């Protein structure tokens, strides 16, 4: 490719192949750039160093309400009128900061775009500088998109959470939520008031501190199984109150799943049924005692063997007192005044007592053997008179 000039009688020629090739590539890149930006889902605008609009893609035209012909050549402030949603004050356009700082800038929190007809569109926006091959800033590009649907979802979620929070304050149950793995995230006011824990103390696995030590294993096991199989669970366990006392609660948990069926959160409640639990246990114990006494009465009326009768009574006394084992001794007079011999045993095999010394009228056994009264102790090792 050559360029021809008439200089009189002299002709000169200059090779411009590289320039033409560069111009062709630039046009192709420009067309590719235009087609690419015109097809993406985000709105895109570019400006020069004076913040004058040089390009507007289709999505930007739809979102701003400005046509390409009207927008190109105008200052960005004319085309992009922005407000802060909270303060209702004019919001800065990130393009200015991108040009001044030479870095990517995002200032889209609570940003509203005002269209020419006055309608407001919540957007998220960001801007980045455009540089020439030498690194000089020659303009900036702004990318933004409509977040109206997300704002509506966020608002609906916030309203739903507020309703849940208010509901959680009026129900008598202790309400809680946990993440997909079962770690505590939230408790209603009654949870913190009853347990005396702060939110920070309850979070994660901290809430396990209020579970009765005897119920801790089954609590962890039930939660682990529920997470593994993804099914609701229910269990009875004791929870410590702020006063240090334990009360019985029935706890239920159900999973919340996303559209793909994956568990994203657990919702649960713990209902106080302490009195019902104690009443039910008392009724069961009373029934068991009645049955035992009935068996004893029947034995007294029908069994003639004294040894068998005493064995039945020993067994009954052991059951009623919920002891580990029970023994009956009787006094055999001897030269020293008496020897207490094992007569019947309940709860363990008799051979377990073969080498056990027979009791004497010690401080512990004396009152009973002398007929002075009953000695009771939950743990003899901790009882001051005998320990």
């Amino acid at each position: 490719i050559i360029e021809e000039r008439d200089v009189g009688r002299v002709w000169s020629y200059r090779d411009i192949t590289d320039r033409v090739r560069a111009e062709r590539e630039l046009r192709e890149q420009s067309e590719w750039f235009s087609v690419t930006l015109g097809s993406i889902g985000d709105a895109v605008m570019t400006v020069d160093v004076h913040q004058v609009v040089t390009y507007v893609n289709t999505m930007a035209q739809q979102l701003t309400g400005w046509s390409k012909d009207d927008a190109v050549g105008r200052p960005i402030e004319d085309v992009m009128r922005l407000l802060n949603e909270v303060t209702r004050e004019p919001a800065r356009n990130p393009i200015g900061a991108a040009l001044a700082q030479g870095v990517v800038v995002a200032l889209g929190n609570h940003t509203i775009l005002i269209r020419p007809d006055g309608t407001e569109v919540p957007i998220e926006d960001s801007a980045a500088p455009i540089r020439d091959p030498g690194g000089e800033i020659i303009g900036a590009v702004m990318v933004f998109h409509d977040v109206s649907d997300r704002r509506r979802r966020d608002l609906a979620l916030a309203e739903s959470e507020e309703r849940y929070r208010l509901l959680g304050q009026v129900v008598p149950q202790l309400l809680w939520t946990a993440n997909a793995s079962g770690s505590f995230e939230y408790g209603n006011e009654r949870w913190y008031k009853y347990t005396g824990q702060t939110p920070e103390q309850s979070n994660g696995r901290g809430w396990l501190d209020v579970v009765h030590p005897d119920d801790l294993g089954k609590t962890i096991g039930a939660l682990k199984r529920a997470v593994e199989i993804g099914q609701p669970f229910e269990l009875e366990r004791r929870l410590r109150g702020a006063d240090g006392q334990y009360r019985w609660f029935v706890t239920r948990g159900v999973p919340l799943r996303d559209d793909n069926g994956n568990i994203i959160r657990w919702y649960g409640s713990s209902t106080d049924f302490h009195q019902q639990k104690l009443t039910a246990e008392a009724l069961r114990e009373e029934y068991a005692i009645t049955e035992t006494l009935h068996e004893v009465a029947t034995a007294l009326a029908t069994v003639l063997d004294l040894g068998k009768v005493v064995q039945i009574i020993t067994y009954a006394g052991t059951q009623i007192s919920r002891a580990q084992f029970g023994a009956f001794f009787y006094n055999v007079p001897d030269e020293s005044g008496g020897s207490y011999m094992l007569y019947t045993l309940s709860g363990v095999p008799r051979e377990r007592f073969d080498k056990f010394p027979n009791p004497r009228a010690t401080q512990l056994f004396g009152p009973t053997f002398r007929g002075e009264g009953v000695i009771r102790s939950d743990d003899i090792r901790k009882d001051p008179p005998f320990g």
Side-chain angles (χ1 to χ4, degrees):
I1 302 174
I2 63 174
E3 181 182 73
E4 182 180 291
R5 289 193 302 162
D6 184 0
V7 294
R9 296 183 179 183
V10 178
W11 296 90
S12 67
Y13 301 89
R14 184 163 56 90
D15 187 351
I16 60 171
T17 301
D18 292 340
R19 191 184 75 185
V20 172
R21 183 182 297 113
E23 290 175 349
R24 184 186 301 119
E25 291 177 354
L26 184 60
R27 284 195 302 272
E28 291 175 352
Q29 291 177 0
S30 178
E31 291 175 1
W32 176 87
F33 178 78
S34 179
V35 171
T36 301
L37 294 185
S39 63
I40 66 175
D42 286 337
V44 179
M45 300 180 67
T46 62
V47 300
D48 59 20
V49 293
H50 304 294
Q51 300 191 38
V52 173
V53 177
T54 58
Y55 173 80
V56 183
N57 75 345
T58 302
M59 184 59 68
Q61 295 176 59
Q62 296 175 0
L63 194 54
T64 64
W66 286 77
S67 68
K68 180 179 180 180
D69 294 337
D70 291 335
V72 172
R74 286 180 175 270
I76 187 67
E77 288 81 3
D78 292 349
V79 180
M80 296 287 295
R81 292 176 52 210
L82 304 178
L83 287 181
N84 183 288
E85 185 178 21
V86 178
T87 65
R88 304 301 296 179
E89 296 291 331
R92 288 189 301 161
N93 193 304
I95 276 183
L99 288 171
Q101 302 172 20
V103 296
V104 177
V105 177
L107 301 174
N109 292 334
H110 306 294
T111 300
I112 291 179
L113 169 66
I114 308 298
R115 296 163 57 99
D117 60 3
T119 58
E120 299 182 355
V121 182
I123 64 170
E124 282 190 351
D125 55 355
S126 62
I130 301 175
R131 301 177 184 271
D132 63 16
E136 189 74 19
I137 295 178
I138 59 175
V141 58
M142 179 179 181
V143 180
F144 54 102
H145 57 272
D146 186 351
V147 294
S148 298
D149 290 341
R150 195 181 74 189
R151 292 285 178 85
R152 281 191 289 268
R153 289 195 300 270
D154 290 346
L155 180 60
L157 179 60
E159 292 176 347
S160 176
E161 290 179 345
E162 178 63 12
R163 288 196 297 269
Y164 177 79
R165 187 189 68 81
L166 292 175
L167 180 62
Q169 307 315 318
V170 298
V171 297
Q173 286 82 6
L174 312 182
L175 302 183
W176 50 268
T177 66
N179 63 17
S181 64
S183 293
F184 189 99
E185 290 183 328
Y186 162 83
N188 66 345
E189 185 176 332
R190 288 184 182 274
W191 168 270
Y192 299 115
K193 183 176 181 180
Y194 173 76
T195 64
Q197 286 190 324
T198 64
E200 292 74 21
Q201 291 172 328
S202 292
N203 285 346
R205 300 286 177 172
W207 65 276
L208 291 172
D209 290 343
V210 303
V211 178
H212 194 286
D214 293 344
D215 301 329
L216 189 58
K218 71 175 181 180
T219 297
I220 295 176
L223 182 59
K224 182 179 180 181
R225 287 192 298 273
V227 171
E228 289 176 349
I229 66 177
Q231 295 297 321
F233 69 92
E234 177 177 321
L235 76 154
E236 297 177 3
R237 46 61 179 301
R238 286 159 288 183
L239 299 177
R240 186 184 66 240
D243 59 0
Q245 301 298 312
Y246 287 93
R247 294 184 66 84
W248 280 98
F249 286 82
V250 57
T251 296
R252 300 178 178 89
V254 295
L256 174 67
R257 303 178 184 272
D258 60 19
D259 295 337
N260 297 321
N262 299 315
I263 295 177
I264 57 177
R265 184 170 287 109
W266 288 86
Y267 286 88
S269 66
S270 296
T271 304
D272 187 330
F273 79 121
H274 187 76
Q275 195 57 48
Q276 297 93 313
K277 178 79 171 179
L278 296 185
T279 300
E281 289 181 348
L283 289 174
R284 284 194 296 269
E285 184 173 345
E286 182 178 347
Y287 177 78
I289 291 174
T290 300
E291 287 291 302
T292 301
L293 293 178
H294 175 71
E295 293 174 2
V296 171
T298 301
L300 292 175
T302 59
V303 178
L304 301 180
D305 187 301
L306 181 61
K308 291 183 178 180
V309 172
V310 176
Q311 181 66 61
I312 292 172
I313 294 175
T314 303
Y315 173 78
T318 304
Q319 293 295 106
I320 290 174
S321 62
R322 291 185 293 183
Q324 183 177 355
F325 61 85
F328 174 78
F329 295 86
Y330 71 101
N331 184 21
V332 177
D334 58 15
E335 297 178 357
S336 62
S339 175
Y340 298 98
M341 308 297 293
L342 178 63
Y343 191 72
T344 57
L345 183 66
S346 175
V348 291
R350 190 178 183 87
E351 54 267 22
R352 293 285 296 275
F353 265 66
D354 284 347
K355 296 182 179 181
F356 193 83
N358 288 324
R360 296 173 290 106
T362 61
Q363 184 177 11
L364 174 61
F365 291 106
T368 300
F369 288 153
R370 291 193 297 269
E372 298 173 1
V374 175
I375 297 296
R376 296 182 181 273
S377 177
D378 290 332
D379 189 339
I380 202 67
R381 298 166 301 177
K382 299 178 181 179
D383 200 315
F386 315 113

